[in-house]
């Protein structure tokens, strides 16, 4: 398998795992019961918000999973996680899981969508060749007030 197919499959796996986490979270909220009510009470949120938040989470997830709307879905899930981060910070809890989920949403999309990789190319961490360093230094010299004298 060529490298680009491996990258796309890695993105699908990351997106699948993240999607599973969001789906389980939404299902737990939709099911109701003492668990979500206790969690929302702990966060200082009313029980009346459980259903709307579950619907928002599920709708954002569906939009994320549709390839044509996946970028919009990632934006919506990122905003959703931003709200979760704020809720946890407000009560003094570290929002590590929420931040990691938000990052993984974009990592999965980045790996599986060539358009996003083209828009935000990652640079190689390999050492730059000497000629490339000289080219950069030469192009910066006039800006730094150093002539080619």
């Amino acid at each position: 398998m060529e490298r680009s197919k491996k990258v796309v499959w890695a993105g699908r796996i990351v997106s699948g795992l993240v999607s599973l986490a969001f789906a389980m979270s939404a299902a737990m909220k939709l099911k109701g019961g003492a668990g979500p009510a206790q969690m929302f009470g702990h966060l200082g949120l009313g029980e009346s918000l459980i259903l709307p938040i579950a619907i928002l989470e599920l709708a954002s997830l569906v939009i994320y999973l549709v390839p044509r709307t996946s970028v919009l879905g990632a934006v919506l899930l990122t905003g959703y996680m931003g709200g979760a981060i704020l809720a946890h910070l407000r009560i003094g809890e570290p929002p590590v899981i929420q931040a990691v989920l938000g990052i993984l949403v974009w990592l999965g999309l980045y790996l599986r969508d060539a358009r996003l990789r083209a828009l935000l190319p990652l640079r190689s961490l390999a050492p730059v060749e000497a000629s490339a360093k000289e080219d950069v230094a030469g192009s910066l010299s006039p800006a730094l007030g150093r002539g080619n004298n």
Side-chain angles (χ1 to χ4, degrees):
M1 195 182 320
E2 65 185 65
R3 183 174 185 256
S4 65
K5 286 186 180 183
K6 288 180 182 179
V7 168
V8 169
W9 272 104
R12 289 176 181 160
I13 291 169
V14 170
S15 292
L17 292 172
V18 168
S19 298
L20 185 61
F22 280 110
M24 288 175 26
S25 171
M28 181 183 73
K29 290 178 185 83
L30 289 172
K31 181 181 172 189
Q38 184 180 10
M39 178 183 64
F40 272 60
H42 177 71
L43 293 173
L45 302 171
E47 286 185 42
S48 63
L49 293 175
I50 295 174
L51 182 61
I53 289 177
I55 292 170
L56 175 67
E57 183 176 13
L58 200 55
S60 299
L61 177 61
V62 169
I63 293 169
Y64 177 70
L65 291 174
V66 175
R68 293 191 113 188
T69 59
S70 58
V71 173
L72 174 60
V75 170
L76 293 172
L77 287 173
T78 303
Y80 179 82
M81 293 315 300
I85 288 170
L86 179 62
H88 284 270
L89 286 175
R90 192 177 69 74
I91 62 169
E93 290 182 352
V96 176
I97 293 172
Q98 295 78 15
V100 169
L101 278 174
I103 291 167
L104 289 177
V105 163
W106 282 100
L107 177 63
L109 183 58
Y110 184 85
L111 293 174
R112 67 184 164 105
D113 192 336
R115 297 170 303 163
L116 192 55
R117 288 193 309 274
L119 181 64
L120 301 168
L122 293 179
R123 308 246 189 249
S124 173
L125 297 178
V128 180
E129 294 180 19
S131 62
K133 287 181 183 177
E134 292 171 7
D135 291 342
V136 171
S139 67
L140 290 177
S141 291
L144 297 175
R146 299 180 195 143
N148 289 339
N149 303 350

